[in-house]
Amino acid sequence: MEKLTLLEQDLINAVCLFHAKFKNTAPEDVEVELMYDDIAGYSAEAFYNGQLDVYNSVNFIMALRLYIDEQLGRDSMSARISLAIDDEEGMIAHVEF
């Protein structure tokens, strides 16, 4: 089983790409903040054109799957994705194919 770690910048890029795709804009026009809460879990906020959209854990994983498909050229549906907090790297995603 192959393992891959997506770093915090990869996670931000994934949400930017995902949000830009649905807002029909450029990814560089989207600002993203990653968050973790003991109750809500992992989430992200995307800011574009004065609007704030919140991505819960499910939508966050969908954004990561799109990133894996389009940017890494891998089949994300066969991947197991788990999010974690690393003391040095910040928020990361462990991906197993």
Side-chain angles (χ1 to χ4, degrees):
M1 193 174 273
E2 183 183 351
K3 295 180 181 182
L4 171 69
T5 299
L6 298 177
L7 301 178
E8 190 166 275
Q9 188 60 55
D10 296 316
L11 305 185
I12 291 168
N13 292 347
V15 175
C16 283
L17 290 167
F18 188 80
H19 194 73
K21 184 172 191 149
F22 292 101
K23 294 294 182 178
N24 199 27
T25 190
E28 54 269 10
D29 294 337
V30 179
E31 293 180 40
V32 170
E33 182 176 343
L34 304 178
M35 298 174 296
Y36 175 78
D37 179 272
D38 287 336
I39 297 170
Y42 296 93
S43 62
E45 291 181 342
F47 303 92
Y48 169 69
N49 200 24
Q51 285 187 286
L52 168 68
D53 289 301
V54 178
Y55 289 88
N56 61 23
S57 295
V58 173
N59 292 333
F60 195 178
I61 296 293
M62 285 175 46
L64 292 175
R65 289 192 185 282
L66 181 68
Y67 182 82
I68 291 167
D69 288 340
E70 292 185 355
Q71 300 299 308
L72 303 180
R74 302 292 303 263
D75 177 21
S76 68
M77 296 314 285
S78 66
R80 187 177 92 177
I81 302 171
S82 60
L83 297 166
I85 302 292
D86 183 86
D87 290 337
E88 294 178 17
E89 300 294 338
M91 190 181 295
I92 61 173
H94 296 289
V95 183
E96 294 181 27
F97 295 96

